[in-house]
Amino acid sequence: MMKTAQKIRFAIPLIALLILFVSMSSALAGASEVWVNGVKLDAGGFYLANGSTTATTTKPSGLGYAYFDVAASTLTLDAAVLTSLYTAPGGENALVYADGELTVILKGDSSLIYHGASINDIRGIWSTSTLTLTGTGTADIDIENNDLSRGYAAGIVSGYDLNVLGGDYDIHLLATDNATGISAVHNTVISGGQISIHTTGRDGAGINSGGNIDISGGWIDTTGTHANVSMGMYGDEIFLRGGEGLFRAGGAFISSGLMFSNSTLHVSGGDFVFSGGSCALNYAGTAPPAYDLSGVDTFVSEDAAGLGRWLWKSKADGELASSGSPSPFLYVQFSERRSQSAASLSAPQTGDGRAPWLWAGIALVALLAAAGIPAAAMRRKTR
């Protein structure tokens, strides 16, 4: 009897590991087909010319097409024009959809545009597994979901990890409910490329990750204007190692440039600005978070545009992020420490010099009264 119990006890971890291995293998399986502009591309037809509704095995002679390499699970968008949705089995819609791991390569100037109404999500590029974005081209993603009951819009969605290696992405989203520029169920890694995101809706985020966010390169600019909850970027553990980022959130009952749920914020390089109508940084916990800041200077301001910013050195200067206690800072900048001229040390522009932010005068304490709302509001649309 004892031996049987011991066998069962030792078998349970092995079964758990097996289940984890199978689930990870499934999550990382390459897609054997991809739907582009409402047309299936697979081994039977892997080219789709602009304006065509039929996939072929012959490369189009004209400009503008999509090409799916089945063996490599790689989709190339070469000046492709996409305006038709594919409806996945769960009801969500996408201009590009893959049920499996996918790499998207951008060439030339592609556009993904759809304006309409749906009670389910309308998405630009969507993979149910790991999604990798690369290339030297551009993708203009313009989506509106005007459904009056619950309109959701998302630019780029990954069902597992999201890796941005290159490419130029200009994402504009308008939704009656939730508008999220980039979303990943697991981790988000950005090491290159240029990303511009503008979102408008009831709730929304520029970048929304169900796991960690690691930025080591590239250029990112997000602007969100929402009525309820607005986040420039949301994730668990945040690592800022290099690159440039400007994350702005405003117009909402609760709005912050960064929301994170891990107790330590890591910054070791790059130049990043976070600003919001409620606070620049917001930590989901109740105790003040820890800061792993190495090789960067931290500047703060009680003005969302960064006017009159000053150097922050410790909590003695005020809480850097709101948690159980509010932070007075509507602007936080992390700047890689290097030789700088007097001109470069002046307050940086946040892109709103031509039109002052509407939310700069909103009372801080009242806005932070519901500081626990953002995490739930953001996570409910990350799947």
Side-chain angles (χ1 to χ4, degrees):
M1 191 72 175
M2 180 65 70
K3 291 183 178 179
T4 301
Q6 288 178 337
K7 289 180 180 179
I8 294 175
R9 187 172 70 250
F10 288 122
I12 290 174
L14 294 177
I15 294 173
L17 286 173
L18 179 61
I19 294 173
L20 177 62
F21 175 77
V22 171
S23 63
M24 289 181 63
S25 299
S26 175
L28 299 177
S32 59
E33 62 185 36
V34 60
W35 291 82
V36 179
N37 213 33
V39 179
K40 183 172 70 172
L41 304 185
D42 57 13
F46 34 83
Y47 281 104
L48 180 66
N50 286 348
S52 176
T53 58
T54 304
T56 67
T57 57
T58 304
K59 182 177 180 179
S61 57
L63 295 176
Y65 65 89
Y67 164 65
F68 181 52
D69 185 332
V70 180
S73 190
T74 297
L75 174 68
T76 299
L77 298 179
D78 191 341
V81 177
L82 311 182
T83 59
S84 297
L85 298 175
Y86 168 73
T87 301
E92 291 84 359
N93 310 281
L95 294 163
V96 172
Y97 169 79
D99 188 6
E101 186 174 1
L102 180 70
T103 295
V104 175
I105 300 174
L106 295 182
K107 291 185 177 181
D109 299 325
S110 295
S111 61
L112 296 81
I113 301 173
Y114 189 86
H115 295 177
S118 173
I119 60 172
N120 294 310
D121 291 25
I122 299 178
R123 302 172 176 179
I125 299 173
W126 175 25
S127 167
T128 62
S129 184
T130 293
L131 176 62
T132 299
L133 305 173
T134 187
T136 58
T138 65
D140 181 4
I141 302 176
D142 184 351
I143 296 175
E144 291 186 13
N145 189 346
N146 301 310
D147 185 79
L148 297 179
S149 58
R150 48 160 286 183
Y152 292 89
I156 298 170
V157 179
S158 168
Y160 198 67
D161 288 337
L162 174 64
N163 305 303
V164 183
L165 311 180
D168 189 336
Y169 309 87
D170 191 3
I171 302 173
H172 290 258
L173 305 174
L174 173 63
T176 53
D177 205 327
N178 185 289
T180 298
I182 291 177
S183 176
V185 169
H186 200 227
N187 296 328
T188 299
V189 176
I190 300 174
S191 59
Q194 299 186 70
I195 304 170
S196 176
I197 300 173
H198 293 77
T199 58
T200 303
R202 188 181 73 89
D203 300 318
I207 298 176
N208 181 17
S209 188
N212 300 336
I213 297 177
D214 192 322
I215 302 176
S216 60
W219 176 89
I220 307 165
D221 184 345
T222 75
T223 302
T225 303
H226 305 93
N228 187 37
V229 177
S230 184
M231 300 289 152
M233 182 164 69
Y234 176 84
D236 287 343
E237 192 164 9
I238 309 297
F239 297 87
L240 305 178
R241 310 177 194 270
E244 297 179 69
L246 176 56
F247 302 87
R248 296 166 290 185
F253 175 63
I254 297 173
S255 56
S256 60
L258 171 64
M259 176 78 178
F260 60 103
S261 58
N262 187 277
S263 59
T264 302
L265 175 64
H266 309 269
V267 185
S268 58
D271 289 277
F272 298 90
V273 171
F274 300 94
S275 64
S278 301
C279 55
L281 309 180
N282 202 339
Y283 169 54
T286 55
Y291 304 103
D292 174 20
L293 309 177
S294 58
V296 295
D297 290 320
T298 302
F299 299 93
V300 296
S301 174
E302 295 181 10
D303 179 83
L307 299 178
R309 67 171 190 159
W310 67 90
L311 185 65
W312 181 93
K313 294 184 178 180
S314 72
K315 293 179 181 179
D317 303 320
E319 291 293 345
L320 195 59
S322 290
S323 52
S325 302
S327 168
F329 306 128
L330 304 184
Y331 172 103
V332 171
Q333 178 188 6
F334 301 108
S335 182
E336 188 170 343
R337 195 174 296 129
R338 53 182 177 263
S339 177
Q340 298 177 329
S341 65
S344 68
L345 287 173
S346 62
Q349 296 297 315
T350 61
D352 283 319
R354 293 169 297 177
W357 290 358
L358 297 176
W359 59 87
I362 298 176
L364 177 64
V365 176
L367 292 171
L368 292 175
I373 293 177
M378 292 297 97
R379 283 190 180 281
R380 67 186 177 88
K381 285 309 299 169
T382 305
R383 55 175 184 261

